[in-house]
Amino acid sequence: MLQILHDYFWWERLWLPVNLTWADLEDRDGRVYAKASDLYITLPLALLFLIIRYFFELYVATPLAALLNVKEKTRLRAPPNPTLEHFYMTCGKQPKQADVELLSRQSRLSGRQVERWFRRRRNQDRPSLLKKFREASWRFTFYLIAFIAGTAVIVDKPWFYDLRKVWEGYPIQSIIPSQYWYYMIELSFYWSLLFSIASDVKRKDFKEQIIHHVATIILISFSWCANYVRAGTLIMALHDSSDYLLESAKMFNYAGWKNTCNNIFIVFAIVFIITRLVILPFWILYCTLVYPLELYPAFFGYYFFNFMMGVLQLLHVFWAYLILRMAHKFITGKVVEDERSDREETESSEGEEAAAGGGAKNRPLANGHPILNNNHRKND
């Protein structure tokens, strides 16, 4: 049964154009071709990335955060309360008014004290500013190095200037060492992101992030096995061209350099729109959809590759919408927050509201919480 499944999975008609077999892609005469077995190395490399990331965050990102004066907000901890803790863990972090009244009777606390407890408890679970800075620093470093390396890999290739040459001689296109390592390192990094996503800062687009990582891993792996390597290197370099700008904007935001953050974010938005909504669909996708049909009939691999590219393109449209919303707020001078972030609730009205009395009472309320307009801008 396993052999039958193996044979069906690696059936040439699924992966290769008509009249071609895997025998045509066997190494010969000093020419090396992409093979599925090459991908095994990406899993240990992903674990190596996680180890390198740990030491990078500890010995590079943390001192850098101190140098840039990244400051943590003081968070008041919720006092131990088994009744409220049980509700928090089993029923939800945002109790409704009826739940607040019930919990108030069960815990013998006032409704305001119950609401305050849940605010503090939610803030305890939110990642620290230092954790966010470390993650952004790691991703910035990788994306910047990957963009420089990827550009070096493709800039001297003829298909970088003439996209029709991407398919010249396909699929019998040999692989050079720089292409091999560029692919393996990129794929390993995305594996590491997928492995660490549960422990990383969780954002509102958590599901979209998982879809993106899985789609990217499938796309890179499939393009390697089907020898779509020339197109793959162009796509990966194009994606890396804007990612490091976003991560650097986050770093400056966490450091409190608001003007620098805003300026970098505007540059990032421009680069993102040009690369993901113009170059990718109108040049790269056109190259993968139209040019191959001039050489051979469409086959399953052709449809699958372009379907996964379509999934990524939809995600780019979704993120572009969020980016444009933020950019509009920057330009109009409104308070800006990352649309994906989970906003930290203010503590200034908690311990002081009973003592200060009228100060909090005079403020407008949202769900019983005083609204503070401190003009603080956050991008992540």
Side-chain angles (χ1 to χ4, degrees):
M1 177 63 72
L2 292 177
Q3 184 61 43
I4 294 175
L5 292 175
H6 178 273
D7 292 341
Y8 272 111
F9 183 80
W10 292 109
W11 184 36
E12 285 94 344
R13 294 290 69 76
L14 293 178
W15 297 83
L16 302 174
V18 65
N19 298 326
L20 287 168
T21 67
W22 293 116
D24 296 311
L25 297 178
E26 292 179 356
D27 298 347
R28 63 173 64 88
D29 302 327
R31 295 169 65 88
V32 178
Y33 298 92
K35 294 177 285 293
S37 58
D38 295 332
L39 301 180
Y40 292 141
I41 194 176
T42 60
L43 293 179
L45 281 179
L47 296 178
L48 179 61
F49 264 122
L50 293 176
I51 295 173
I52 294 173
R53 171 180 172 174
Y54 172 80
F55 286 104
F56 175 90
E57 292 184 354
L58 186 62
Y59 294 110
V60 178
T62 301
L64 181 59
L67 183 64
L68 294 177
N69 201 27
V70 175
K71 293 182 179 180
E72 290 285 0
K73 292 182 179 179
T74 301
R75 294 179 178 178
L76 300 177
R77 298 185 63 83
N81 189 307
T83 301
L84 301 184
E85 184 68 28
H86 177 74
F87 184 94
Y88 183 88
M89 298 301 296
T90 59
C91 300
K93 301 178 181 181
Q94 299 277 359
K96 298 179 181 179
Q97 187 60 39
D99 296 324
V100 171
E101 294 174 358
L102 177 62
L103 292 170
S104 175
R105 292 193 296 270
Q106 292 177 345
S107 62
R108 298 181 180 180
L109 298 173
S110 68
R112 185 176 292 261
Q113 288 174 321
V114 171
E115 291 177 346
R116 182 186 305 133
W117 188 94
F118 275 91
R119 284 199 300 271
R120 292 185 180 181
R121 187 64 182 83
R122 288 192 294 268
N123 281 338
Q124 282 179 217
D125 283 350
R126 290 187 172 90
S128 68
L129 200 62
L130 179 59
K131 178 177 175 61
K132 292 180 179 180
F133 183 88
R134 286 172 167 177
E135 290 185 11
S137 300
W138 167 247
R139 291 191 296 265
F140 164 77
T141 302
F142 176 84
Y143 289 136
L144 178 60
I145 294 175
F147 174 63
I148 295 172
T151 302
V153 167
I154 63 176
V155 72
D156 61 339
K157 305 300 186 295
W159 57 86
F160 180 73
Y161 305 96
D162 182 0
L163 293 180
R164 288 184 181 274
K165 292 186 180 295
V166 166
W167 307 107
E168 190 174 69
Y170 178 84
I172 306 176
Q173 298 171 338
S174 58
I175 302 298
I176 60 177
S178 60
Q179 291 173 320
Y180 170 84
W181 284 110
Y182 185 39
Y183 248 81
M184 297 305 111
I185 289 174
E186 284 275 357
L187 181 55
S188 301
F189 180 74
Y190 280 102
W191 272 119
S192 73
L193 289 182
L194 187 63
F195 293 156
S196 64
I197 195 169
S199 59
D200 287 345
V201 175
K202 187 173 292 187
R203 310 185 194 284
K204 293 178 182 178
D205 64 344
F206 178 74
K207 293 180 181 178
E208 289 82 3
Q209 285 284 350
I210 293 179
I211 294 173
H212 174 268
H213 295 339
V214 172
T216 301
I217 289 170
I218 293 174
L219 190 56
I220 295 176
S221 301
F222 178 85
S223 66
W224 179 263
C225 294
N227 211 14
Y228 274 52
V229 174
R230 293 182 180 180
T233 53
L234 293 174
I235 294 167
M236 291 188 296
L238 190 69
H239 280 70
D240 291 335
S241 64
S242 61
D243 288 340
Y244 71 92
L245 291 170
L246 175 61
E247 300 304 330
S248 63
K250 292 179 183 179
M251 293 169 61
F252 284 114
N253 176 62
Y254 302 144
W257 295 31
K258 301 304 177 184
N259 290 333
T260 304
C261 166
N262 296 350
N263 293 332
I264 293 178
F265 182 83
I266 294 299
V267 174
F268 157 74
I270 294 172
V271 174
F272 185 95
I273 298 301
I274 293 175
T275 56
R276 309 291 180 92
L277 298 188
V278 179
I279 296 178
L280 185 64
F282 295 106
W283 271 270
I284 304 300
L285 268 176
Y286 185 85
C287 169
T288 61
L289 280 169
V290 177
Y291 293 160
L293 299 181
E294 298 176 356
L295 303 176
Y296 51 80
F299 62 105
F300 174 81
Y302 164 86
Y303 290 117
F304 183 78
F305 181 84
N306 286 291
F307 169 77
M308 296 306 298
M309 287 292 295
V311 171
L312 284 182
Q313 188 59 51
L314 290 176
L315 289 172
H316 294 154
V317 172
F318 168 74
W319 281 316
Y321 166 71
L322 300 182
I323 291 168
L324 288 176
R325 284 180 59 179
M326 293 177 64
H328 176 261
K329 292 178 181 179
F330 275 126
I331 295 172
T332 57
K334 295 180 181 179
V335 175
V336 176
E337 292 180 350
D338 190 340
E339 300 290 347
R340 305 175 304 154
S341 295
D342 186 14
R343 178 167 58 181
E344 183 163 340
E345 297 163 272
T346 179
E347 294 277 1
S348 61
S349 62
E350 294 186 359
E352 299 82 2
E353 59 193 356
K361 295 179 182 178
N362 294 330
R363 300 188 184 115
L365 298 179
N367 297 324
H369 300 174
I371 298 175
L372 298 182
N373 181 10
N374 57 5
N375 293 323
H376 175 61
R377 295 186 176 186
K378 285 172 49 181
N379 292 306
D380 202 326

